Amino acid sequence: MTTMRIPMKSLALASTAVVLAAAAGHAQAQAFRCPRTGGDLIYALESKVPGLDQHTSNAGATRNVALNIYESLVTRDEAMNPVLELAESMTVSPDGKTYTFKLRQGIQFHNGKTITSADVMASFDRYKRVGVDRSILDPVDKWTTPDANTFVITLKEARPLFIEALSSFTVPIVIVPSENAQAPAQQLPVVGTGPFKLEEFRADRFVKLRRFDGYKPDTRHNTITGYGGNKRACVDTVTFRMMTEPAARTAALEVGEIHAVEDVPAASQKRLRDNKAIKLARLETFWMNVAYPNFSNPPTDNPKVRQAMLAAMDFEEIMEAAHEGQYKLNPGFQFPGQQYYTEAGKELLNQKNRARARQLLQEGGYKGEKIELLTNRDFPVMYNTALVMAEQLKAAGMNAELVVLDWPAALQRSQKETTGRNGFYTRWTTVTALSAIPYAYFER
């Protein structure tokens, strides 16, 4: 069953006078100006940051920090439409197969080097080799660099949605210096073209970014729009503190130890709402709650077992436990009225049919094999989703068992290993061609 979560995020009023470069905004009549500059903005993350190699990590915590460091040829604006970022222009050949990008001039990396098409090519080469979403580049026949300012992508055949895929910022194709592009996965030196550069990264504790004084804003826009536009670093530094305990994050916000937090627990929202020094922001399209089945590991390599899991699940019970009542059920992967919204397959979701599940298990020859559900406690939403789902599967005759690791370890196992799990719990905060709506999904 697809679901829509309505989470809450909090911002201390004291922090509203500074603007993080990655914040979303709408175009204004006049160019944005920092109301004041300087200082350290302290932002509490709800999870650990597993690394800052944007090519090879699909963790939301990685992207939320890294999007301030790196930039891409194209990204998405506030309305989820592709928008040029490092590219000055893009032209498409009449046959729809060739895309020619001209680079913006005077863009520098954090190491002082001026970006050229050689860096773009090297970045694409690396992404093709190790990138999480490298299938984006499967339609490509070749890319070339006619000169230092031009990058050309030629497709095998016309793909109308190619730029929509290329502009994905789930695991974007960020541009890095060519001399760093041979770095193995998770070992990329943290050097980009964004408004902030890395100052310090202490694993499991914090990431500190410093304003990059050599940054060249995109003056084609008056202000930021989505992940692109005219970005300005108003603060000297931004400290992303990893605070996985919800109560600790909330308490730190209330005493002024931090300026902003992610994902305020429902139980704390009323108290914070009454605090005049704190502003709560409700984001109704924040993220999707996702459960992946493992198609290669028995018994979930059996379609009948996967169908039985889907038949057994009560999504309202799952989402009530996972989101403290702050959700809406929705049978599509987008909101109604959005471009790709569909209710196809609605009848297969939220069946709550244990008898049907047992029948499917019998048809599939299920003999009580263990079904391992890989989750973590860093994100209570993911843990509670797995916990309730496991109990529902047990009630339908399945031998479900939780495998609980910390978030970085769980994510690493899901990416690198094909055994040791039959289900994996994560979230999608942004997906190609999709708005950020939460959902839990199993293969039909």
Side-chain angles (χ1 to χ4, degrees), residues 62-226:
T62 292
R63 191 208 55 248
N64 291 346
V65 176
L67 61 84
N68 297 283
I69 301 171
Y70 303 107
E71 295 178 303
S72 307
L73 282 180
V74 289
T75 185
R76 295 290 185 90
D77 67 12
E78 193 75 6
M80 290 293 290
N81 297 313
V83 61
L84 299 180
E85 191 169 28
L86 291 176
E88 178 69 32
S89 65
M90 181 192 75
T91 58
V92 185
S93 62
D95 63 4
K97 293 172 59 177
T98 302
Y99 294 79
T100 301
F101 297 91
K102 293 289 186 179
L103 301 180
R104 290 168 53 208
Q105 295 295 292
I107 303 298
Q108 290 186 341
F109 288 108
H110 299 152
N111 60 9
K113 173 186 173 182
T114 299
I115 185 175
T116 71
S117 59
D119 301 299
V120 179
M121 172 177 275
S123 301
F124 272 67
D125 287 341
R126 182 176 193 267
Y127 199 91
K128 180 68 173 178
R129 187 176 70 254
V130 301
V132 171
D133 285 349
R134 54 188 176 272
S135 61
I136 290 172
L137 300 175
D138 285 349
V140 177
D141 178 41
K142 62 180 180 180
W143 39 70
T144 58
T145 56
D147 57 55
N149 190 48
T150 307
F151 182 65
V152 180
I153 299 176
T154 303
L155 306 183
K156 300 169 187 175
E157 59 184 13
R159 292 289 185 95
L161 297 180
F162 177 67
I163 294 300
E164 192 165 78
L166 194 68
S167 62
S168 168
F169 48 79
T170 303
V171 190
I173 307 176
V174 297
I175 307 305
V176 301
S178 58
E179 60 268 25
N180 295 342
Q182 292 301 316
Q186 296 300 318
Q187 297 181 38
L188 179 69
V190 185
V191 178
T193 61
F196 288 94
K197 60 183 180 180
L198 178 66
E199 178 163 298
E200 188 175 4
F201 184 2
R202 294 196 184 182
D204 300 339
R205 293 184 59 192
F206 68 84
V207 183
K208 189 166 189 174
L209 307 184
R210 180 166 294 278
R211 180 176 59 238
F212 174 42
D213 291 331
Y215 181 70
K216 185 176 181 180
D218 187 349
T219 55
R220 291 173 296 187
H221 303 268
N222 288 325
T223 187
I224 47 181
T225 175

Side-chain angles (χ1 to χ4, degrees), residues 298-308 356-371 397-399:
T300 47
D301 60 339
N302 185 333
K304 291 292 185 179
V305 172
R306 300 197 300 269
Q307 290 170 7
R356 174 61 177 160
R358 293 191 181 95
Q359 178 185 344
L360 289 164
L361 292 174
Q362 185 176 7
E363 293 174 5
Y366 178 70
K367 302 299 184 183
E369 297 92 337
K370 187 181 296 184
I371 297 176
M398 286 168 260
N399 183 15

Side-chain angles (χ1 to χ4, degrees), residues 247-268:
R249 290 197 306 272
T250 303
L253 178 67
E254 289 180 290
V255 299
E257 181 181 334
I258 58 178
H259 301 122
V261 303
E262 287 185 321
D263 200 30
V264 177
S268 303

Side-chain angles (χ1 to χ4, degrees), residues 308-357:
M309 295 170 72
L310 186 59
M313 288 190 291
D314 179 341
F315 281 83
E316 291 177 277
E317 183 180 52
I318 292 169
M319 297 303 292
E320 180 68 31
H323 299 286
E324 303 175 278
Q326 295 195 322
Y327 70 94
K328 294 178 182 178
L329 294 180
N330 174 31
F333 293 159
Q334 292 197 346
F335 290 121
Q338 292 187 322
Q339 185 174 1
Y340 298 102
Y341 179 76
T342 177
E343 294 189 356
K346 177 181 179 179
E347 69 281 358
L348 299 174
L349 302 175
N350 207 29
Q351 296 178 53
K352 299 179 281 190
N353 192 335
R354 293 176 184 174
R356 174 61 177 160

Side-chain angles (χ1 to χ4, degrees), residues 359-389:
Q359 178 185 344
L360 289 164
L361 292 174
Q362 185 176 7
E363 293 174 5
Y366 178 70
K367 302 299 184 183
E369 297 92 337
K370 187 181 296 184
I371 297 176
E372 296 181 303
L373 304 178
L374 177 60
T375 188
N376 71 92
R377 290 186 183 273
D378 293 355
F379 289 98
V381 166
M382 297 179 197
Y383 178 77
N384 291 337
T385 296
L387 185 65
V388 176
M389 196 175 293

Side-chain angles (χ1 to χ4, degrees), residues 19 31 36 92 195 241 254 303 315 338 340 415 417 430 433-434 436:
V19 178
R36 70 181 187 192
V92 185
R241 290 181 54 181
E254 289 180 290
F315 281 83
Q338 292 187 322
Y340 298 102
Q415 293 176 336
E417 301 176 22
T430 53
L434 298 179

